[in-house]
Amino acid sequence: HEIEKEGDNTYYFDRSGKVFEHVLNYLKERKTPLDLSFQERRQLLDDANFFELFGLAGELDPTVVPVQVGTRQPACLLKRDDVL
């Protein structure tokens, strides 16, 4: 999905500020927070998917399979050798 600019060339994200802090920290440090409640972890996973941060999403939920933008096709296909 595409995020559009506001009229004053800023972006508005209707997301939780508390969770967005973790998104920004991940972008700066590439570290996933460990001390999250189940609800915070779920919200962060939702935001990771929203912002297409598949590395973060995969660390939060290893069953996440990235999809190509604008499709429902996997971004990468695993082969049998990849998982054995």
Side-chain angles (χ1 to χ4, degrees), residues 25-57:
N25 287 337
Y26 176 79
L27 290 172
K28 289 188 285 186
E29 302 169 9
R30 293 289 191 247
K31 294 181 182 174
T32 304
L34 302 175
D35 57 344
L36 300 175
S37 68
F38 177 80
Q39 183 177 357
E40 289 171 324
R41 190 177 188 85
R42 188 73 219 160
Q43 289 173 330
L44 183 54
L45 178 59
D46 288 345
D47 276 7
N49 287 318
F50 177 82
F51 291 112
E52 298 179 0
L53 299 172
F54 298 121
L56 175 58

Side-chain angles (χ1 to χ4, degrees), residues 1 49 52 54 65-77:
H1 61 274
N49 287 318
E52 298 179 0
F54 298 121
V65 176
V67 295
Q68 293 175 356
V69 176
T71 73
R72 293 196 176 267
Q73 300 300 315
C76 61
L77 296 175

Side-chain angles (χ1 to χ4, degrees), residues 1 3-4 6 10-17 20 50-51:
H1 61 274
I3 300 172
E4 296 182 21
E6 298 290 312
T10 61
Y11 293 94
Y12 175 74
F13 302 109
D14 187 15
R15 313 305 286 178
S16 165
F20 190 65
F50 177 82
F51 291 112

